[in-house]
């Protein structure tokens, strides 16, 4: 009944432009037909985009929404925030063609059913926790954002390979949070990933599940020729400061170094052999 009320409300509303639309949605546990159960949400998003909404935030509970790429057609949409959704094949193709003004993209708890996340217009790209690709384990995943000036990426190395970063020439700042034991990535994989960030001027690098050693293999770190501001966490100062030293050896233009140490890590712990 409530869904019918919202639908009627949107359909009968005067066609006055919207600045922002937020949708808090919930799919019942055990929902089998995600497409049909997501129909109302897709309809509402389509309506607000027809009213030139500049910012859309979709927050879902329980099962992931299955978003219809076709609804994302707007020359006014600039900010898009999606939490807990299935992004079916063709989703990013549609964003590229249908939303030419899109500048900010936030994804969290999303299942990406393409091999690549890409946009030529997005300037700020945030991939928060549990943004997973549905492809096979050995398939190469990639992220391409030719206009991005700021990127934030979280990745669980125990369940997924690091994506390849392509076309990041405009990038200025980057934040990386790795988690999980390194079982799906070797030194070359991390180097390839960080290589896509190697021209940034500001980098925050965190690995929250232990110390980063990579078996004393310095090949994992590329040269950061433009890096001025570096922020690292506890993982980089354990194990004889190994990871931190490697970062510093490859950052010849560095001016500012920030260490973010957790409360459990004091100098005694850091200096333990």
């Amino acid at each position: 009944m409530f869904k019918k009320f919202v639908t009627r409300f949107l359909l009968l509303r005067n066609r006055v432009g919207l600045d922002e639309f937020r949708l808090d949605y919930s799919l019942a546990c055990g929902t089998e037909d995600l497409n049909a159960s997501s129909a109302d949400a897709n309809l509402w998003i389509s309506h607000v985009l027809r009213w030139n909404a500049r910012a859309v935030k979709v927050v879902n509970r329980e099962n992931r929404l299955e978003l219809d790429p076709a609804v994302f057609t707007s020359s006014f949409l600039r900010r898009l925030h999606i939490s807990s959704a299935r992004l079916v094949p063709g989703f990013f193709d549609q964003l590229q063609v249908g939303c030419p003004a899109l500048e900010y993209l936030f994804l969290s708890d999303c299942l990406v059913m393409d091999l690549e996340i890409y946009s030529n217009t997005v300037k700020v790209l945030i991939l928060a926790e549990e943004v997973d690709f549905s492809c096979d384990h050995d398939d190469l995943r990639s992220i391409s954002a030719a206009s991005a000036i700021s990127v934030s990426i979280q990745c669980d190395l125990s369940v997924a390979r690091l994506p390849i970063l392509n076309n990041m020439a405009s990038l200025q700042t980057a934040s990386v949070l790795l988690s999980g034991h390194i079982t799906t990535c070797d030194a070359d994989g991390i180097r390839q990933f960080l290589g896509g960030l190697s021209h940034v001027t500001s980098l925050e690098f965190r690995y929250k599940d232990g110390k980063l050693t990579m078996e004393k293999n310095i090949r994992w770190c590329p040269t950061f020729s433009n890096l001025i501001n570096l922020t690292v966490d506890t993982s980089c100062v354990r194990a004889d400061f190994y990871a931190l030293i490697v970062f510093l050896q490859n950052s010849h233009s560095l001016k500012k170094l920030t260490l973010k140490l957790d409360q459990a890590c004091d100098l005694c712990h850091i200096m333990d052999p």
Side-chain angles (χ1 to χ4, degrees):
M1 182 65 70
F2 179 72
K3 289 182 178 180
K4 292 181 179 179
F5 166 77
V6 174
T7 299
R8 291 289 294 170
F9 171 76
L10 291 174
L11 288 174
L12 296 175
R13 181 181 179 274
N14 290 332
R15 296 184 62 86
V16 179
L18 289 174
D19 287 330
E20 182 176 349
F21 174 74
R22 175 180 172 125
L23 172 62
D24 283 312
Y25 205 78
S26 180
L27 291 179
C29 292
T31 300
E32 295 183 0
D33 191 344
L34 292 178
N35 185 40
S37 300
S38 303
D40 289 306
N42 284 312
L43 177 62
W44 300 341
I45 295 170
S46 176
H47 276 298
V48 299
L49 290 179
R50 291 176 187 171
W51 295 331
N52 303 336
R54 299 176 182 273
V56 171
K57 185 172 184 177
V58 180
V59 179
N60 184 47
R61 320 290 177 187
E62 305 299 338
N63 286 346
R64 288 167 170 161
L65 274 172
E66 185 162 304
L67 294 179
D68 180 2
V71 306
F72 291 94
T73 302
S74 170
S75 59
F76 293 87
L77 183 64
R78 284 177 168 77
R79 296 175 61 90
L80 179 59
H81 177 126
I82 299 175
S83 295
S84 191
R86 286 162 49 95
L87 307 181
V88 301
F91 180 83
F92 295 99
D93 285 335
Q94 179 60 30
L95 281 187
Q96 179 67 29
V97 176
C99 301
L102 188 65
E103 296 180 342
Y104 175 97
L105 178 60
F106 177 102
L107 301 179
S108 173
D109 186 24
C110 288
L111 181 63
V112 178
M113 304 179 73
D114 279 312
L115 288 176
E116 184 176 40
I117 296 173
Y118 79 95
S119 171
N120 289 331
T121 64
V122 167
K123 295 181 179 180
V124 177
L125 176 63
I126 301 174
L127 305 180
E129 66 274 8
E130 297 184 33
V131 176
D132 302 319
F133 289 83
S134 66
C135 47
D136 292 337
H137 176 74
D138 293 331
D139 290 336
L140 294 178
R141 306 142 172 98
S142 63
I143 301 171
S144 176
S147 299
I149 59 175
S150 177
V151 166
S152 178
I153 300 173
Q154 295 187 28
C155 187
D156 185 349
L157 295 177
S158 64
V159 298
R161 297 176 59 179
L162 281 170
I164 298 172
L165 303 182
N166 296 320
N167 301 323
M168 298 282 188
S170 299
L171 202 59
Q172 299 174 15
T173 65
S175 175
V176 176
L177 172 59
L178 304 182
S179 62
H181 297 293
I182 301 179
T183 59
T184 60
C185 188
D186 56 14
D188 289 333
I190 290 185
R191 180 182 178 85
Q192 188 175 49
F193 173 79
L194 290 177
L197 308 174
S198 60
H199 48 274
V200 299
T201 58
S202 180
L203 173 66
E204 180 176 5
F205 182 89
R206 293 175 293 157
Y207 175 50
K208 73 176 185 179
D209 289 332
K211 59 187 179 182
L212 186 64
T213 61
M214 292 303 298
E215 298 181 353
K216 301 296 183 179
N217 186 343
I218 65 173
R219 290 188 303 122
W220 64 265
C221 186
T223 298
F224 292 92
S225 56
N226 300 325
L227 190 62
I228 296 175
N229 183 11
L230 173 64
T231 300
V232 296
D233 69 347
T234 304
S235 65
C236 292
V237 298
R238 287 175 172 158
D240 299 326
F241 294 84
Y242 159 70
L244 176 60
I245 291 172
V246 175
F247 267 121
L248 294 178
Q249 289 175 337
N250 288 279
S251 306
H252 306 299
S253 301
L254 193 67
K255 295 182 179 180
K256 181 179 179 181
L257 172 64
T258 302
L259 302 179
K260 289 188 175 181
L261 306 181
D262 59 47
Q263 294 180 351
C265 177
D266 55 27
L267 285 177
C268 293
H269 289 124
I270 294 174
M271 297 304 294
D272 282 345

